[in-house]
Amino acid sequence: MRTTVGIVGAGPAGLLLARLLHVAGIDCVVLESRDRAYVEHRQRAGILEQGTVDVLRAAGAGERMDRVGLRHDGIELRFAGRRHRVDFPALTGGRSVTVYAQTEVCKDLIALQLAQGGPLLFEAEALAVEDADTDRPRVHFRHEGVEDVLECDYVVGCDGFWGVARKAVPAGTARVFERTYPFGWLGILADVPPSHDELVYARHERGFALLSMRSPSVSRLYLQVPQDTDPRAWADEEIWDELTRRFATDDDWRLERGPITQKSVTPMRSYVHEPMRHGRLFLAGDAAHIVPPTGAKGLNLAVGDVVTFARALTHQRRTGSPALLDAYSQTCLRRVWQAERFSYDMTTLLHPDPGATPFEGRLQLARLERIASSRAAETDLAEGYTGFAFD
């Protein structure tokens, strides 16, 4: 099998890249190890930055997002019983975010790819990426029990941290930067309308809590818990009781309860792989970087990566110049490190560290007070949350 761009992984990054290449008239093949049902129901991110929304619309993948997605013009911070709303459009010149689950983005892009794009092979396990440092890289894969080879001009690894793409970069040619946080998130889906019309980020002495949503009738909520927590150890009522404590305010706001349909624990990590390119192998999304979910940056960073690659390859096709492809890693990493910085700031702002001193706890409150009383500090948060430019 032969194509211009071999894409490993059909998460939102791989699927969007396939769409962008199709619009640009560049052929590609997408290999995904899981089946379609798994990809379309894998619960992950739910916040789309303004730039991601704009890209999906421009790619012809925004119709259902615009119809059922929930535009949010701000978030609420809670601390010491207080509530403070951050108004995104007022602070950023009109930018906002949209609540639209990764599962829905994938459904939209899969439908478009199957109807209009090149091959999208589910249950096609990539086994290895070879010859990345030549002009004919290859992806060995297994599909329907038969091993095959995909010959490409370029390979883009959108297959996550554990995928084969990152492992194809020779040892000693890359640097890794990482941090593991001593806590995780216990996340739930609940069949109950959200108790607030925007996301609520709560800093409490007992731990962080987040109120989010998937739709007007489904709530998504999180609790800071020890890193090794088993979600089955938490009874439903225990979860609601703890959420109620952490979201408590000095007014009459109350948290609505409902049936919990899903529980899981998300670890908290920061990770960057430099460079994001080896020869004609380009890493995108979690294959190259991971952020703690506090800043809602993971999916949006992956979108930025594939937008950068698609623009660079289109430029090379149009002008003959490889300059933008050669600059891929440097271009992406400028945005990646800003997102890592923002996600780290949000995480350390809102999560009490189990080993923190009382002094450090008071510093957290002082930082929150600064955001609530300074337009400059509030603007920095709003600009980071609504997203950094796709260069």
Side-chain angles (χ1 to χ4, degrees):
M1 188 180 295
R2 182 81 176 85
T3 191
T4 300
V5 181
I7 301 173
V8 185
L15 291 167
L16 178 58
L17 177 57
R19 181 64 186 173
L20 295 173
L21 295 176
H22 171 76
V23 171
I26 300 171
D27 62 296
C28 69
V29 173
V30 185
L31 305 175
E32 168 55 48
S33 62
R34 303 283 192 160
D35 61 25
R36 180 176 179 178
Y38 180 89
V39 175
E40 292 188 337
H41 293 89
R42 177 170 44 194
Q43 292 290 335
R44 291 291 189 273
I47 305 296
L48 307 184
E49 296 173 354
Q50 183 71 63
T52 297
V53 169
D54 294 343
V55 167
L56 289 170
R57 286 174 180 157
E63 185 276 330
R64 196 163 68 96
M65 173 189 69
D66 285 334
R67 181 160 42 87
V68 304
L70 306 174
R71 172 180 165 135
H72 280 202
D73 286 337
I75 59 173
E76 183 173 284
L77 300 176
R78 294 191 182 180
F79 59 99
R82 296 176 49 192
R83 304 169 61 179
H84 176 77
R85 182 175 184 267
V86 179
D87 186 332
F88 293 156
L91 296 163
T92 64
R95 295 170 68 82
S96 64
V97 298
T98 296
V99 176
Y100 191 61
Q102 174 176 312
T103 51
E104 307 310 307
V105 173
C106 287
K107 289 174 186 176
D108 296 343
L109 291 169
I110 287 170
L112 284 169
Q113 185 70 12
L114 294 177
Q116 303 174 10
L120 167 53
L121 305 181
F122 290 105
E123 299 181 86
E125 180 187 5
L127 303 173
V129 177
E130 296 181 346
D131 299 329
D133 54 355
T134 74
D135 60 0
R136 287 290 185 271
R138 300 179 298 165
V139 182
H140 287 258
F141 68 98
R142 184 186 297 113
H143 184 230
E144 297 180 345
V146 178
E147 292 195 12
D148 203 345
V149 176
L150 177 63
E151 298 181 345
C152 323
D153 293 333
Y154 306 93
V155 176
V156 182
C158 304
D159 53 342
F161 181 80
W162 300 107
V164 300
R166 186 179 61 86
K167 296 174 183 176
V169 179
T173 65
R175 296 185 66 193
V176 167
F177 304 85
E178 59 186 325
R179 170 167 180 166
T180 300
Y181 299 85
F183 43 76
W185 279 7
L186 170 62
I188 66 167
L189 279 175
D191 287 337
V192 60
S195 299
H196 195 66
D197 56 2
E198 293 178 337
L199 272 69
V200 177
Y201 288 77
R203 188 271 181 196
H204 190 277
E205 290 183 358
R206 295 176 64 91
F208 168 78
L210 171 62
L211 185 157
S212 183
M213 64 280 296
R214 284 291 177 264
S215 74
S217 60
V218 177
S219 293
R220 183 76 160 148
L221 301 107
Y222 299 92
L223 283 171
Q224 177 184 345
V225 294
Q227 191 178 34
D228 57 352
T229 294
D230 181 349
R232 296 169 297 183
W234 283 74
D236 291 6
E237 285 307 304
E238 279 186 286
I239 293 173
W240 287 119
D241 289 346
E242 189 61 25
L243 286 166
T244 298
R245 278 190 287 267
R246 298 190 192 182
F247 285 125
T249 58
D250 293 336
D251 56 19
D252 59 357
W253 184 91
R254 58 175 295 185
L255 178 68
E256 298 297 331
R257 305 185 178 204
I260 294 175
T261 60
Q262 185 183 106
K263 300 177 190 175
S264 61
V265 171
T266 301
M268 306 286 280
R269 292 183 62 204
S270 297
Y271 173 90
V272 180
H273 181 285
E274 293 188 4
M276 291 173 55
R277 174 190 180 182
H278 172 68
R280 293 202 172 192
L281 168 63
F282 296 77
L283 303 180
D286 285 1
H289 42 72
I290 295 170
V291 290
T294 325
K297 287 284 163 281
L299 168 59
N300 298 289
L301 271 183
V303 168
D305 294 341
V306 298
V307 167
T308 299
F309 177 82
R311 288 177 180 171
L313 184 56
T314 302
H315 176 79
Q316 191 269 343
R317 284 293 189 89
R318 187 176 67 250
T319 67
S321 169
L324 296 185
L325 282 172
D326 290 343
Y328 170 80
S329 183
Q330 182 181 4
T331 301
C332 289
L333 285 169
R334 283 197 299 268
R335 183 183 60 257
V336 166
W337 276 111
Q338 285 303 314
E340 292 281 357
R341 185 270 309 169
F342 176 77
S343 299
Y344 173 85
D345 284 350
M346 288 286 284
T347 301
T348 57
L349 172 71
L350 294 162
H351 294 75
D353 189 305
T357 65
F359 177 83
E360 290 166 314
R362 291 300 295 268
L363 282 182
Q364 280 186 316
L365 293 174
R367 290 168 65 192
L368 285 160
E369 290 280 2
R370 176 65 176 168
I371 292 168
S373 61
S374 164
R375 185 176 180 87
E378 193 178 26
T379 298
D380 184 62
L381 189 156
E383 289 179 345
Y385 199 97
T386 55
F388 304 102
F390 298 157
D391 296 327

